[in-house]
Amino acid sequence: PDGAMPGTDHARRRPDAVVYREITNTPAAARALTYARLAGAVDEFAAGIRGTFPAGSTLVIRIPNTCDYPVAFLGTLAAGCAAFPVPADVAEPELRAAIEQSAAVALVGPGLKVEPTGRSPSSEQSRHGLLLQSSGTTGRPKIVYRPAAAVDAVCRNMVGAISVRESDRVLATVPLCHSYGLEHGLLTPMTAGASVHLCQGFDLHLVVSQLTGGGVTTFPAVPSMFEMLAQLAD
């Protein structure tokens, strides 16, 4: 509500602490972001969005679990716009439907590439916060809107409920485009000042190596992931 992004305080107090680290099978190509570098990248991305699109616009974000994702997501919010994450492998018809239904003005992809959709936002569709698609279990998926203040409240409440601390390392394998992945793998750890290890999907070899030797303390996952890990256990 006051315009400050979650994690801003950590960027001032602990600028060199790593907030996001990519975990891949090719470590030499993996990237890492400190809180200070994240803050700078978010400011730069937000400035570009503000200079191109009016506040309240919706941007669709189609980026896998890499360091580009938090920059695009947080930068969109910092620009006073709405972020609408979709799966990185979303089918083209579904992507176009999402853009149409949300009246998105741009699509943000890997490398923080921003592609205008050609749409002009109207004041009736002005939003600042988060858009997510429902699961569609009881019908066609719907777009659910969370104002920025609600996102802030979720961050604060989850930090207390899960007791996440600065010393924690969170292994994020659930896609950040889903509410569970976004809340547990991006928003909550960053608010607490923790470090996030980003994986593009559930690679069993990488997950086991992270859980046994990567210093991971928190692992948000779904039942099928825990079942696969349990089958390996001695």
Side-chain angles (χ1 to χ4, degrees), residues 45 49 59-63 68 72 106-116:
F45 185 81
I49 297 301
L59 282 74
V60 170
I61 299 174
R62 184 178 59 175
I63 299 175
D68 287 340
L107 172 65
V108 186
L112 301 177
K113 182 179 180 180
V114 179
E115 300 180 24

Side-chain angles (χ1 to χ4, degrees), residues 98-119:
I99 292 173
E100 178 79 20
Q101 293 167 11
S102 64
V105 299
L107 172 65
V108 186
L112 301 177
K113 182 179 180 180
V114 179
E115 300 180 24
T117 63
R119 289 183 162 276

Side-chain angles (χ1 to χ4, degrees), residues 20-32 64-68 170-173 196-210 214 216:
Y20 297 110
R21 185 186 305 278
E22 296 175 354
I23 306 299
T24 72
N25 287 308
T26 53
R31 297 174 295 171
N65 286 18
T66 66
C67 288
D68 287 340
V170 181
L171 180 58
T173 62
V196 180
H197 294 195
L198 293 169
C199 286
Q200 295 188 48
F202 185 76
D203 183 313
L204 191 56
H205 173 74
L206 283 179
V207 168
V208 170
S209 67
Q210 286 294 299
V216 168

Side-chain angles (χ1 to χ4, degrees), residues 112-136:
L112 301 177
K113 182 179 180 180
V114 179
E115 300 180 24
T117 63
R119 289 183 162 276
S120 299
S122 65
S123 58
E124 298 177 356
Q125 296 167 321
S126 179
R127 306 182 183 101
H128 178 213
L130 169 65
L131 298 180
L132 287 172
Q133 281 188 317
S134 65
S135 62

